[in-house]
Amino acid sequence: MATRNNLLAVILGGGAGSRLFPLTRDRSKPAVPLGGKYRLVDVPISNCINSDVIRMFVLTQYNSASLNRHIATTYRFSPFADGFVEILAAEQTPERPDWFQGTADAVRQVLPHIRDWRIDTLLILSGDHLYRMDYRKFLARHRETNADITVSVIPIAPDSASEFGLLKVDEAGRIIEFREKPKGEALEAMRVDMTSLGLTPDEAQARPYLASMGIYVFKYDVIEKVLAEDSSRLDFGREVIPASIDHYNVQAYLFNGYWEDIGTIAAFYKANLDMTSAIPPFNLFDSEAPLFTRPRHLPPSKMDNCEIRDSIISDGCIINGAKISRSLIGLRSRISEGAQIDGAIMMGADYYQTLEGMLADRDANRPRVGVGEQTIIRRAIVDKNARIGKDVKLLNESGIESDDGPNGMYYIRDRIIIVPKNGLIPDGTEV
């Protein structure tokens, strides 16, 4: 039975994250703020800690400064324990002068660092998914089937199936076919009878496909072999897993809980606002499996004469005379008199402005950090440290699908208005 001493987790930092632009303009995908006070990378790290997986490497490459800082200041284990969360940044070496070219290539390039730990099991995770999983059950399935590779899979509906790697399994749960993002007849051919996997007939009809979650367990000697066999195989889902099916015991682990791939602005927006539901699909209040992040020692939020419905208000906010509905308000947010926030995500601020700073903003006729008086914001994402003036209307009433505002002042993606980090919206602006 594997123990935590011969097990190590690798969390993939992801690529450039272009589909999450402008949230990834100044940071990597795993560093994008989530749920008012967390970052996306906190999800797989918290899952690991709650599953007693306490040795983790986070692989980074693009815009990694804020992610590196978050990891370094958050995850510090006791000096008397053997746990760690360490950054492994892409590096050029005499043998490999290029950067990470894909998920498999990233792991291939860092194997010399992993090899030093003399492990027998490697857990590979994504840094930009939202879910809660007990990896001990995943690892138990891997051991019970004596698998060389185990892939975590989830039932999904037809409307999104073509966006994922799909697979079929035999009666024992062994993967017998794997196709990356099939379409048309190839997609229809990947339907699976989910009742044999424990789903009810109604659930099986609604979700007739098995999708890879991009989460894998490898026997360490096997991953050494499969990555050495062909250096042109750069991605696990597209190349390594399909090529391994006929030569190794590749098993599936069925996960039937909430899982969201935060790959687009629409997915990010929905996943965050879903947390404000009466019974949220991803529960931040689960005491059995808490979500960890950096303690900031902020004061409680202060609200005066406000009307707030179906919303989450994070620590350290100052809100005066505002109406807020189905919104998520991040750390240190300032919202002024008469503001209306509806269906919005405010990521808050990294700092409190001093009185001198606010007076300087007033003298310069510049909005201070936060939301000004009588401003209305609907269906929007306001990134950190944004300055939104008074009498602003961020509404997109014409339903524009995609647009770039002047000088990067704002962006519209999936009909959602996005004010970028450190952005400034002057008084009276209408979008």
Side-chain angles (χ1 to χ4, degrees):
M1 180 174 179
T3 69
R4 68 185 189 181
N5 292 325
N6 52 24
L7 167 68
L8 192 145
V10 168
I11 299 171
L12 302 174
S18 56
R19 293 188 300 162
L20 272 180
F21 180 87
L23 303 181
T24 51
R25 186 189 66 183
D26 303 311
R27 57 169 80 91
S28 61
K29 281 196 292 183
V32 171
L34 171 82
K37 62 181 292 184
Y38 308 96
R39 293 179 185 260
L40 278 171
V41 76
D42 292 328
V43 174
I45 293 178
S46 297
N47 283 339
C48 281
I49 294 172
N50 292 327
S51 304
D52 205 27
V53 179
I54 60 172
R55 291 178 174 181
M56 292 164 262
F57 283 126
V58 181
L59 275 52
T60 65
Q61 180 164 276
Y62 291 96
N63 277 340
S64 59
S66 64
L67 177 61
N68 295 350
R69 185 167 57 249
H70 178 70
I71 296 294
T73 56
T74 305
Y75 298 102
R76 298 176 179 177
F77 290 84
S78 165
F80 301 103
D82 57 359
F84 61 82
V85 183
E86 290 186 9
I87 295 290
L88 279 183
E91 57 184 354
Q92 292 179 320
T93 67
E95 295 78 19
R96 292 298 305 265
D98 50 350
W99 301 114
F100 298 154
Q101 301 299 307
T103 56
D105 186 63
V107 174
R108 180 185 290 118
Q109 292 199 40
V110 301
L111 279 181
H113 301 293
I114 297 172
R115 192 177 297 125
D116 294 339
W117 289 92
R118 300 179 182 178
I119 60 171
D120 61 25
T121 307
L122 186 65
L123 175 62
I124 298 176
L125 308 170
S126 175
D128 55 1
H129 295 167
L130 181 61
Y131 65 108
R132 183 176 275 111
M133 180 189 290
D134 186 344
Y135 297 137
R136 288 170 292 197
K137 297 178 181 178
F138 187 17
L139 293 162
R141 165 74 180 173
H142 179 73
R143 293 191 297 267
E144 289 164 1
T145 58
N146 193 29
D148 297 310
I149 307 168
T150 304
V151 181
S152 185
V153 300
I154 189 167
I156 59 168
D159 57 354
S160 59
S162 62
E163 298 302 313
F164 296 95
L166 303 182
L167 52 91
K168 287 184 174 181
V169 296
D170 64 15
E171 296 83 1
R174 183 166 180 166
I175 298 174
I176 56 175
E177 188 175 356
F178 192 108
R179 294 188 184 183
E180 182 71 8
K181 299 181 179 180
K183 292 178 173 59
E185 293 182 2
L187 175 62
E188 285 298 313
M190 295 304 292
R191 283 180 176 264
V192 175
D193 179 10
M194 294 294 181
T195 57
S196 63
L197 298 174
L199 272 65
T200 67
D202 288 344
E203 290 175 329
Q205 184 176 5
R207 297 187 291 167
Y209 295 97
L210 274 182
S212 169
M213 296 170 64
I215 301 172
Y216 315 101
V217 179
F218 281 82
K219 285 183 178 177
Y220 184 74
D221 59 342
V222 171
I223 197 169
E224 287 263 16
K225 290 177 186 176
V226 298
L227 294 182
E229 285 170 356
D230 188 344
S231 61
S232 68
R233 295 172 184 164
L234 304 178
D235 187 82
F236 283 114
R238 284 196 303 269
E239 296 150 339
V240 173
I241 302 300
S244 301
I245 290 173
D246 293 334
H247 306 286
Y248 297 94
N249 180 10
V250 184
Q251 292 281 334
Y253 169 73
L254 182 67
F255 176 76
N256 197 21
Y258 173 81
W259 176 78
E260 186 68 56
D261 181 2
I262 311 291
T264 64
I265 291 295
F268 175 84
Y269 177 83
K270 181 180 184 301
N272 274 271
L273 285 199
D274 279 350
M275 296 181 194
T276 67
S277 302
I279 303 177
F282 185 85
N283 182 15
L284 293 174
F285 300 88
D286 188 342
S287 60
E288 298 298 319
L291 192 60
F292 299 103
T293 194
R294 178 164 64 92
R296 296 172 177 86
H297 310 295
L298 292 171
S301 288
K302 178 183 177 182
M303 291 162 276
D304 179 35
N305 194 29
C306 298
E307 184 180 313
I308 300 176
R309 297 182 180 180
D310 304 324
S311 298
I312 294 175
I313 311 296
S314 302
D315 299 346
C317 299
I318 301 174
I319 307 174
N320 295 316
K323 292 184 178 180
I324 301 173
S325 61
R326 198 168 181 264
S327 295
L328 199 153
I329 309 300
L331 298 162
R332 303 184 190 88
S333 292
R334 278 184 177 269
I335 304 176
S336 299
E337 185 77 31
Q340 298 180 42
I341 314 292
D342 181 16
I345 301 165
M346 288 190 60
M347 294 184 179
D350 290 318
Y351 58 91
Y352 287 118
Q353 279 191 287
T354 63
L355 179 59
E356 292 77 12
M358 288 188 282
L359 290 174
D361 285 339
R362 185 192 64 183
D363 294 341
N365 197 28
R366 178 177 59 208
R368 70 185 184 187
V369 176
V371 177
E373 295 88 347
Q374 307 302 323
T375 283
I376 304 174
I377 301 174
R378 293 193 192 123
R379 193 173 168 78
I381 301 171
V382 179
D383 208 331
K384 283 191 171 184
N385 310 325
R387 300 166 178 264
I388 300 179
K390 61 184 179 181
D391 298 313
V392 170
K393 291 181 174 60
L394 301 181
L395 305 174
N396 190 21
E397 290 182 315
S398 56
I400 296 171
E401 185 71 25
S402 181
D403 188 30
D404 291 359
N407 301 315
M409 182 171 66
Y410 65 87
Y411 299 86
I412 299 176
R413 298 290 186 271
D414 300 321
R415 300 185 182 180
I416 300 164
I417 300 170
I418 307 153
V419 180
K421 186 177 181 180
N422 300 313
L424 189 153
I425 307 292
D427 294 349
T429 301
E430 296 189 13
V431 178

